Amino acid sequence: MNIHFNKRDPIYLQVVRYFKQEIAVAHLKPGQKIPSRRELTSQLNIKPNTAQKAYKEMENLGLIYTEGNSPGKITENTIVLKKVREELIDEATDNFITAIKPINVPLDEIVGLVKKNILKIKKTRRIQMIEVKNVIKTFGKKKI
């Protein structure tokens, strides 16, 4: 787990947000086991009470569940999973609109810029994949 904690938000909420993001991009899958509170404490170098608070919040939100003494798991509730994704998209959109509003950019220009940047990102990812394939092709057959 790789979380960069900021100084302004409570750590337990940053842990919850991290789990939400990992769920939204399917790095954490429905029904997947999650680290125990003790393991999370160790992995993130946080206090046990912070891990407990984060897990309690995620349970209250329906993001995770536990059955008896079994390890916690990511919810399999598709409504909750969809809501998490929508919440993150809404938050990002609100932040974007708040940042760009003072510039008075027309909607059609915003849409054009977003499309342009998406294409640029896709092109960059394609180039990176080609580079990775070339490295594998070059070095994959050699024994180290």
Side-chain angles (χ1 to χ4, degrees):
M1 275 186 215
N2 192 12
I3 303 177
H4 301 285
F5 295 113
N6 66 52
K7 301 267 187 215
R8 72 176 184 275
D9 300 317
I11 291 174
Y12 84 96
L13 290 178
Q14 293 178 63
V15 171
V16 172
R17 179 169 180 74
Y18 173 81
F19 271 81
K20 285 180 175 180
Q21 290 170 333
E22 293 297 292
I23 290 168
V25 297
H27 289 159
L28 290 174
K29 311 248 186 273
Q32 180 177 338
K33 292 179 185 176
I34 58 173
S36 69
R37 287 157 177 79
R38 182 175 287 150
E39 290 168 336
L40 187 74
T41 298
S42 175
Q43 289 175 8
L44 299 180
N45 196 27
I46 60 176
K47 296 178 182 175
N49 288 345
T50 302
Q52 174 62 30
K53 200 169 182 179
Y55 274 43
K56 181 71 175 159
E57 179 69 14
M58 289 189 287
E59 286 172 350
N60 290 341
L61 294 171
L63 298 176
I64 64 172
Y65 67 95
T66 53
E67 295 172 339
N69 289 332
S70 298
K73 295 180 181 178
I74 300 297
T75 186
E76 297 176 60
N77 183 327
T78 55
I79 295 169
V80 171
L81 296 170
K82 182 178 179 184
K83 183 179 170 190
V84 166
R85 186 174 183 278
E86 289 173 354
E87 177 186 316
L88 292 174
I89 292 169
D90 285 346
E91 183 180 319
T93 305
D94 288 345
N95 289 338
F96 174 73
I97 290 169
T98 300
I100 204 160
K101 189 175 182 180
I103 305 171
N104 294 321
V105 181
L107 181 59
D108 58 336
E109 187 177 348
I110 291 171
V111 170
L113 289 169
V114 169
K115 286 180 179 178
K116 177 182 167 188
N117 282 308
I118 288 171
L119 291 173
K120 188 166 67 173
I121 290 167
K122 285 181 178 180
K123 182 179 179 182
T124 301
R125 286 184 181 159
R126 271 191 299 249
I127 291 169
Q128 289 170 341
M129 287 304 297
I130 290 169
E131 290 171 351
V132 168
K133 287 178 182 177
N134 287 337
V135 168
I136 291 170
K137 187 187 244 183
T138 304
F139 296 104
K141 296 177 182 176
K142 295 180 181 181
K143 292 184 180 180
I144 299 175

